[in-house]
Amino acid sequence: MSKDNSENNEQNNSEDPRDPMEEIFRQMFGQQPGSASEGDEAGAGKGPSMGFTGAPGSGGSGNAGQNPGQGGNNPFGFDPAAFGMPQMDPQMMQQIMGQVQAMFQAAQNPSPEDQGPVNWTMARQAARQAAAGDDPSVSAAERKEIDDALRLAEMWLDGATTFESVGHIGQAWSRAQWVEETFDSWKQLTSPVAESVSRAMSQAIKDQLGDSPESAVPPELQAMLGGAGGEQFTSMIESMGGMAFGMQLGHAVGELAKDVHSSSDIGLPLAGHTMALLPKNIREFGQGLQVDKNEVTLFLALREAARIRLFVRSPWLAQDMFNAVAQYAAGIRIDMDRIEQAASQIDPSNPEAMNEVFAEGLFTPERTEMQEAALKRIETTLALVEGWVDDVVSQAAEHLDALPQLREMINRRRATGGPAEHAFAALVGLELRPRRLRDAAALWAHLRETEGMSGRDDIWSHPDVQPDEQDLDDPQGFQARRAEREAESSKIDEELQKLLDGGYDGPSKPDSEA
């Protein structure tokens, strides 16, 4: 834009056809008020072009500000080509700009749920949007089908485990329902990581804007944003980090909603002790398997019902797994170079650029010793849960013709994960993968064959008697090692009782030293 044009704009602000929200994006992401083209030296190198002006495909030339007839004949000077969209009418354009303004208003006036570093309302909305689309409401026929499958599964499980039925009514969920019912668990799982990333994102955004971010906002925009002063605007910028990460996290959860079959499909009771299946996802899973759809539904119902029985009868298990995730997250370190790159690419005209940054991970690869221990604990426990479910269901469903095929498909899926799970892992720095599922299934099968069904299930009575990695390596030696652990535990209990009784005189000596 020429000097004469700039002076003309300064004298005739009221005649500037650009939408004021355009200006705030221009200034926050690298263009000065009234600057325009990529070729303008004053605006070069200051950030990505937002694509709000110029003819379609031009990358933002600034001509829209001088000639509203360009930029797709759009009264807002907006270039839909920058979004990969066809030309849009003014009403649709108004809706988009309204959403952008709503984002800023949400940052200015966060709800009580969003007072912390992460905007969980934004995350929930992003999850719902990602799960939307081909997500029909569950029909009455589907609810009956799921209810029948879970009732039959409960009956079959009675002969395959000593854990009794929990007596809960099974439910059929859409993907949107799965998001809503499991969202609190996702908050608990991801909060430690989300808060660290959010703080880093906020700092990176403020660094991008300079020491005085409020100075980038012209008076008319401050009026539009409620007269935000320096402190208010800085607070709003800090909220943007939480909003950015919340949206990405929500998107990952929404994508997972398209893959899961049940409420506990990832090995954790995300919806408490509720038994639920997703008919839409089950149908898609069964496509191409050449297996009767009723067998597929029943097999997945058996796995869901078995997990819920396990978590109900071993109430310590779920909290132990959540604690291990929190312990791992506490040691995560953020790669600030990646965060700064992500902050520089917060560009509504190119949302995929930021998705790619998040998908590549935001965390340093080095792990602390505490993290390594927590990671082994998570992976081993998940493997034990899934291995036990595999052994129980293989006994309960022994009459299903397609059992070997279904069992192999599920075990392979749980051990390797899908694209949505990998995207979630990159975002939070943790894969919820039971890497030694087959070894765990072999251990439970060995215990069932040698100790009986009750001996196998009794292992879940207390966390102190849980198998470890050594037991997965050598299932046959588990009983001997367990006896040694119990003997050592009894010895400690005896010494403690002596201390409480006032007769403790030091550790017991071997008979040869007495």
Side-chain angles (χ1 to χ4, degrees):
M1 180 179 293
S2 68
K3 180 178 179 180
D4 291 341
N5 284 337
S6 296
E7 293 175 351
N8 186 58
N9 283 342
E10 291 177 3
Q11 297 170 3
N12 300 283
N13 284 332
S14 60
E15 299 177 2
D16 193 335
R18 283 188 294 248
D19 189 282
M21 186 59 70
E22 175 185 341
E23 288 296 327
I24 192 170
F25 275 112
R26 283 177 173 278
Q27 295 173 52
M28 288 177 61
F29 295 97
Q31 290 187 5
Q32 297 302 313
S35 68
S37 69
E38 295 175 356
D40 191 336
E41 294 181 0
K46 295 191 177 180
S49 168
M50 300 307 296
F52 278 101
T53 60
S58 69
S61 70
N63 291 334
Q66 302 168 21
N67 183 2
Q70 295 182 15
N73 295 318
N74 194 305
F76 298 97
F78 175 82
D79 179 9
F83 281 79
M85 300 177 181
Q87 300 299 329
M88 289 178 285
D89 59 40
Q91 183 178 2
M92 184 179 295
M93 198 58 252
Q94 182 69 58
Q95 292 176 356
I96 291 176
M97 300 308 292
Q99 290 176 357
V100 174
Q101 187 169 5
M103 181 184 74
F104 280 91
Q105 290 174 347
Q108 282 187 279
N109 304 293
S111 66
E113 185 182 22
D114 303 320
Q115 293 294 333
V118 180
N119 190 308
W120 293 111
T121 298
M122 190 75 72
R124 187 191 299 269
Q125 292 173 352
R128 290 292 298 265
Q129 291 174 357
D134 189 12
D135 184 31
S137 299
V138 177
S139 67
E142 288 174 327
R143 284 195 292 270
K144 184 178 185 305
E145 179 185 1
I146 296 302
D147 181 61
D148 290 344
L150 286 169
R151 287 176 183 271
L152 183 57
E154 290 280 46
M155 292 176 58
W156 285 17
L157 286 172
D158 287 339
T161 176
T162 59
F163 295 151
E164 298 177 353
S165 171
V166 297
H168 295 173
I169 297 176
Q171 299 184 33
W173 286 346
S174 65
R175 292 165 177 173
Q177 286 177 287
W178 183 87
V179 169
E180 290 295 333
E181 296 292 340
T182 64
F183 195 78
D184 286 343
S185 291
W186 289 119
K187 287 176 63 176
Q188 183 179 352
L189 279 171
T190 62
S191 283
V193 180
E195 290 173 3
S196 296
V197 175
S198 174
R199 282 191 291 268
M201 282 290 295
S202 297
Q203 186 59 51
I205 291 172
K206 287 193 288 185
D207 290 343
Q208 290 284 326
L209 296 174
D211 295 332
S212 301
E214 67 277 7
S215 65
V217 186
E220 66 271 23
L221 294 183
Q222 293 190 23
M224 184 188 67
L225 296 175
E231 294 183 2
Q232 291 173 297
F233 188 72
T234 301
S235 176
M236 186 176 68
I237 293 302
E238 291 176 349
S239 298
M240 288 183 65
M243 294 168 66
F245 187 79
M247 291 178 67
Q248 293 296 321
L249 178 61
H251 181 78
V253 171
E255 289 298 318
L256 279 173
K258 301 176 182 178
D259 288 347
V260 295
H261 303 142
S262 66
S263 71
S264 64
D265 199 19
I266 71 165
L268 286 166
L270 296 177
H273 296 156
T274 300
M275 286 192 302
L277 297 176
L278 283 71
K280 169 71 174 178
N281 293 359
I282 292 175
R283 285 197 303 274
E284 292 183 355
F285 172 73
Q287 291 175 354
L289 291 181
Q290 296 181 342
V291 176
D292 182 81
K293 66 175 185 178
N294 293 327
E295 287 199 20
V296 175
T297 302
L298 178 57
F299 178 77
L300 296 175
L302 283 163
R303 292 181 61 84
E304 171 74 349
R307 279 197 212 92
I308 298 303
R309 286 195 187 197
L310 173 60
F311 285 114
V312 170
R313 303 309 173 191
S314 303
W316 57 269
L317 179 58
Q319 191 58 51
D320 186 71
M321 296 175 76
F322 278 100
N323 288 341
V325 172
Q327 180 182 346
Y328 177 86
I332 282 180
R333 286 177 291 174
I334 307 300
D335 185 342
M336 289 305 299
D337 290 339
R338 301 292 300 155
I339 288 287
E340 291 174 1
Q341 183 179 357
S344 69
Q345 295 183 10
I346 300 178
D347 180 359
S349 68
N350 188 14
E352 291 303 320
M354 190 169 179
N355 290 342
E356 291 171 3
V357 172
F358 278 107
E360 293 173 7
L362 300 171
F363 313 100
T364 57
E366 299 85 5
R367 297 191 182 105
T368 65
E369 292 184 5
M370 181 178 294
Q371 278 187 296
E372 290 288 356
L375 185 60
K376 288 182 179 179
R377 180 177 161 201
I378 293 167
E379 292 179 347
T380 300
T381 304
L382 282 171
L384 290 171
V385 169
E386 293 298 288
W388 181 87
V389 169
D390 179 73
D391 186 65
V392 169
V393 172
S394 68
Q395 299 302 303
E398 58 183 352
H399 299 301
L400 286 181
D401 294 335
L403 176 61
Q405 181 181 353
L406 291 169
R407 186 181 179 191
E408 177 63 22
M409 283 290 295
I410 287 293
N411 287 348
R412 188 181 305 168
R413 176 179 177 270
R414 286 295 290 125
T416 59
E421 288 182 86
H422 292 312
F424 180 80
L427 196 63
V428 300
L430 175 66
E431 284 190 351
L432 297 175
R433 297 256 57 80
R435 300 185 186 279
R436 304 195 62 182
L437 190 155
R438 297 181 191 276
D439 293 334
L443 170 63
W444 293 119
H446 171 73
L447 291 173
R448 172 174 48 79
E449 293 165 359
T450 57
E451 302 290 325
M453 188 169 65
S454 60
R456 176 200 63 193
D457 294 349
D458 185 59
I459 302 299
W460 293 108
S461 62
H462 196 277
D464 291 347
V465 297
Q466 287 303 288
D468 55 22
E469 284 194 318
Q470 186 179 10
D471 300 318
L472 297 181
D473 293 332
D474 177 26
Q476 287 73 23
F478 172 68
Q479 286 95 334
R481 287 188 293 274
R482 182 186 181 190
E484 292 176 2
R485 294 168 189 159
E486 291 177 343
E488 183 66 25
S489 179
S490 297
K491 187 175 181 179
I492 293 174
D493 290 342
E494 291 176 3
E495 299 293 350
L496 179 59
Q497 189 60 48
K498 286 182 181 179
L499 178 62
L500 294 175
D501 294 341
Y504 183 74
D505 55 0
S508 301
K509 296 181 179 180
D511 294 339
S512 59
E513 298 180 10

